[in-house]
Amino acid sequence: MTNENLEKAKADVKKGIADAEKAGAYVKADAKADVEKVKANFGKSDVEKNVAYAKADINEAIDKAKADVKNKTAHAKADLEKSNAENKR
């Protein structure tokens, strides 16, 4: 395998890892929001429950957005490495 092909393969692996990390972050954000919603169901008024649910949904969206940015950044870096490997010919 040439050095160029090796660099391209490394970049592809980095993208795969970034995608797996994003999926994990999504699962974690979903679980965290679910836990907060379950907690909100105990001994709280309807208004407090609604506020807690909204807060959980907002925090979930923020966590997922952070994961998306991290994923896109990792993909961009990997694409740059791939491009650099192709240009070394």
Side-chain angles (χ1 to χ4, degrees), residues 5-75:
N5 289 340
L6 183 60
E7 293 300 317
K8 287 180 181 180
K10 282 183 186 178
D12 288 336
V13 168
K14 287 180 182 181
K15 284 182 171 183
I17 290 169
D19 290 342
E21 287 174 347
K22 177 184 171 185
Y26 267 52
V27 169
K28 184 178 177 182
D30 289 338
K32 184 176 165 186
D34 289 344
V35 167
E36 291 304 315
K37 289 177 181 179
V38 168
K39 287 181 186 178
N41 285 321
F42 294 104
K44 303 218 177 183
S45 70
D46 287 343
V47 172
E48 289 173 316
K49 285 180 190 177
N50 289 339
V51 169
Y53 270 55
K55 185 177 176 184
D57 288 339
I58 290 167
N59 287 334
E60 178 184 19
I62 289 169
D63 290 343
K64 288 182 176 182
K66 286 179 184 177
D68 287 340
V69 169
K70 186 176 178 182
N71 180 265
K72 288 183 190 309
T73 301
H75 273 257

Side-chain angles (χ1 to χ4, degrees), residues 2 4-5 8 82-89:
T2 67
E4 176 186 342
N5 289 340
K8 287 180 181 180
K82 231 176 175 177
S83 177
N84 287 341
E86 290 171 354
N87 291 330
K88 285 183 181 179
R89 294 187 231 181

